[in-house]
Amino acid sequence: MKREDFLNARVVHMELKPDMTVNQLVKQFYNSGSFGAGRLASACDIFEKMVRDEKCTVFLALAGAVIPSGLRTTVANLIRKRLVDALVSTGANMVHDLVEALGGHHYKGHWFVDDYLLYKYHINRIYDVFVPEEDFVKADEALINMFDEISAYRKMLSTSELMREIGMRLKDPKSIVRSAYESNVPIFLPAMRDSEFAYIHLVHTTRSKKEEALKVSAFEEVPEMVKIMEESEHIGMVVLGGGVPRNSVQHAALMSGKGLDYAVVITTDRPEQGGLSGSTIEETISWGKLKQKADKTMVISDALIAFPLMIAAVLERLGKDFHRKKNS
Amino acid sequence: MKKQVDIKEKGRFCGNCHYHNAYNYPDQNFCFLKFQDRENPVVSALDCCPEWQFKPQECFCLDETLKKNKKRSSR
């Protein structure tokens, strides 16, 4: 590489106007090409390419409390538009979706608050979001009853089969689980027991006869995910946060013998401490989980800021009438 | 010792047992013992289930139901 090769693209300074659209703002980020702005502009290009690729199966991996904090409708709409073909999530994010689907709410709160006072008032805090305990209890009650009902005719399920069974019983059209059921999009919960689902299952098991209790196998979903990947010519992954959902997608891509073709990771985690959420995309290549020539970027940002910007920009680019040919 | 027994007897509410949770704050609680027995689990915060065990908690749903109850009876 020669000296002049390093100096062939100048930084174009952002020009902001009062009536700009989100995509126009992202184009200014692209012109800058620097720091988080440049990475977010690349993420928009990669996500657009992913959804326009008729041979690509798009996996969305969710970790961190992005559903209680305001991305519930965004994710449900992505599923309904089939811009996402499979969802891999923490159990907790789906529990928060179900809390709202079953009549509960999340409230704008504050991070600087007396937590012991919240405890006495039966209010749970997720940074600056408040969830009343009674909304959890009501969701628990409804879900335990659903577990009882399902166990009458199914004894062993994978997490995606369980999510389908629950989606079938919901009425809320804005629910992620309901949208996925109606759109035939699988939801995989690789760390399901690390959430309120553990308690729901415990109570269901306690009040059922042991042999009649529902069993949910964490391993059943692995061949399901691998099969989807084996049948896909290209595989794309969008990650919010990281953790178990991110690695479940990456590892399935490896097990399918293919590796990912597209990856957008939005996280604030750092790679130095060796955790998966902060691991660089380049590190993922070393495992064979991501192809060397994949379109990839890692946006170091609060997912609640970067993800809606990316989605709004790409929806604007695609236009209202866009339908993915892959799913039509 | 006698005093402790009195407290136990007086404070025999779902709002300070181990198995309750808020249902309609502050008046109603959800009793998981009743739920496990497939009985109606929604009980008054001032009620208690047969397997009530004393587990004192600072719980505003109990305090506030008691306050409400006191107001009602003083009217």
Side-chain angles (χ1 to χ4, degrees):
Chain A
M1 209 162 160
K2 293 174 188 165
R3 185 175 188 271
E4 56 265 34
D5 293 332
F6 287 100
L7 303 171
N8 63 6
R10 290 183 185 173
V11 169
V12 178
H13 297 282
M14 295 188 213
E15 205 179 325
L16 305 179
K17 292 176 184 168
D19 53 353
M20 288 178 101
T21 65
V22 177
N23 189 40
Q24 285 166 347
L25 177 67
V26 168
K27 289 218 163 123
Q28 295 302 314
F29 290 175
Y30 174 82
N31 288 344
S32 146
S34 312
F35 309 152
R39 289 192 185 203
L40 183 61
S42 300
C44 293
D45 291 346
I46 296 167
F47 184 59
E48 183 188 1
K49 209 172 162 187
M50 226 186 275
V51 295
R52 285 192 191 276
D53 181 347
E54 291 166 23
K55 294 168 184 168
C56 180
T57 301
V58 181
F59 282 79
L60 175 62
L62 302 179
V66 289
I67 300 307
S69 54
L71 288 185
R72 181 177 185 247
T73 309
T74 307
V75 173
N77 286 345
L78 284 173
I79 289 172
R80 286 197 183 274
K81 282 178 181 288
R82 287 304 301 264
L83 298 184
V84 164
D85 300 303
L87 183 65
V88 184
S89 173
T90 56
N93 271 318
M94 290 307 102
V95 167
H96 286 286
D97 173 66
L98 294 169
V99 163
E100 290 208 18
L102 297 165
H105 301 283
H106 297 92
Y107 295 84
K108 292 175 199 172
H110 201 281
W111 53 269
F112 189 71
V113 66
D114 179 350
D115 284 291
Y116 189 56
L117 184 64
L118 291 183
Y119 169 73
K120 286 190 282 189
Y121 275 128
H122 304 269
I123 295 169
N124 305 307
R125 180 168 76 87
I126 311 164
Y127 190 58
D128 55 8
V129 175
F130 295 159
V131 202
E133 178 65 20
E134 56 211 277
D135 287 353
F136 262 108
V137 172
K138 285 170 187 170
D140 285 348
E141 184 189 11
L143 288 163
I144 293 162
N145 288 336
M146 282 186 206
F147 273 42
D148 288 352
E149 212 177 289
I150 298 162
S151 68
Y153 60 93
R154 293 289 302 266
K155 290 289 169 266
M156 172 75 92
L157 294 102
S158 67
T159 61
S160 67
E161 286 171 329
L162 179 62
M163 286 299 103
R164 247 191 96 68
E165 289 283 349
I166 293 172
M168 197 190 291
R169 289 166 168 80
L170 299 174
K171 288 181 185 141
D172 179 8
K174 289 183 178 172
S175 157
I176 294 170
V177 178
R178 178 69 195 179
S179 305
Y181 166 71
E182 287 180 14
S183 312
N184 205 20
V185 166
I187 299 177
F188 300 105
L189 305 180
M192 186 181 193
R193 63 157 303 286
D194 178 29
S195 70
E196 191 70 2
F197 280 120
Y199 184 66
I200 291 161
H201 188 260
L202 178 71
V203 179
H204 156 71
T205 310
T206 312
R207 69 187 212 145
S208 306
K209 284 179 191 163
K210 204 182 171 187
E211 63 279 8
E212 285 172 9
L214 192 68
K215 288 183 179 60
V216 184
S217 165
F219 290 108
E220 289 283 315
E221 70 182 26
V222 176
E224 291 175 12
M225 282 177 81
V226 172
K227 187 170 180 274
I228 294 172
M229 292 188 174
E230 279 172 349
E231 289 170 357
S232 309
E233 259 186 72
H234 297 147
I235 310 160
M237 169 181 87
V238 178
V239 178
L240 307 191
V244 176
R246 174 178 163 184
N247 199 49
S248 297
V249 179
Q250 294 179 172
H251 196 226
L254 173 69
M255 285 186 280
S256 70
K258 292 191 165 176
L260 297 160
D261 298 273
Y262 305 95
V264 172
V265 179
I266 303 171
T267 187
T268 49
D269 281 350
R270 299 288 312 154
E272 289 84 357
Q273 72 266 27
L276 184 114
S277 304
S279 64
T280 62
I281 299 198
E282 289 69 26
E283 198 175 317
T284 315
I285 295 171
S286 78
W287 291 84
K289 295 172 182 175
L290 182 72
K291 287 178 183 166
Q292 190 209 348
K293 289 186 178 172
D295 286 313
K296 56 193 178 296
T297 192
M298 193 157 169
V299 184
I300 309 300
S301 167
D302 182 336
L304 218 59
I305 300 168
F307 186 66
L309 280 174
M310 181 183 86
I311 298 303
V314 173
L315 286 176
E316 195 182 323
R317 290 180 196 183
L318 299 174
K320 280 181 187 165
D321 300 326
F322 177 79
H323 291 288
R324 279 179 83 203
K325 284 185 187 164
K326 178 180 165 43
N327 301 314
S328 55
Chain B
M1 189 65 195
K2 192 174 179 302
K3 202 178 175 186
Q4 212 171 6
V5 173
D6 286 345
I7 291 165
K8 275 189 187 180
E9 286 307 310
K10 277 179 190 168
R12 219 172 140 80
F13 305 125
C14 257
N16 58 16
C17 93
H18 187 60
Y19 306 104
H20 83 281
N21 219 327
Y23 194 80
N24 275 330
Y25 187 90
D27 301 298
Q28 287 181 312
N29 279 343
F30 190 92
C31 172
F32 275 97
L33 281 177
K34 288 196 172 199
F35 187 60
Q36 274 180 18
D37 292 341
R38 297 180 190 270
E39 290 170 24
N40 181 12
V42 182
V43 296
S44 160
L46 299 183
D47 193 7
C48 70
C49 77
E51 291 181 59
W52 181 90
Q53 282 175 351
F54 185 60
K55 196 190 176 200
Q57 301 176 42
E58 260 195 275
C59 174
F60 273 27
C61 72
L62 177 60
D63 283 356
E64 295 198 0
T65 321
L66 280 167
K67 270 187 232 162
K68 266 184 160 182
N69 215 33
K70 211 175 173 186
K71 261 188 193 173
R72 252 183 251 134
S73 57
S74 65
R75 264 179 214 155

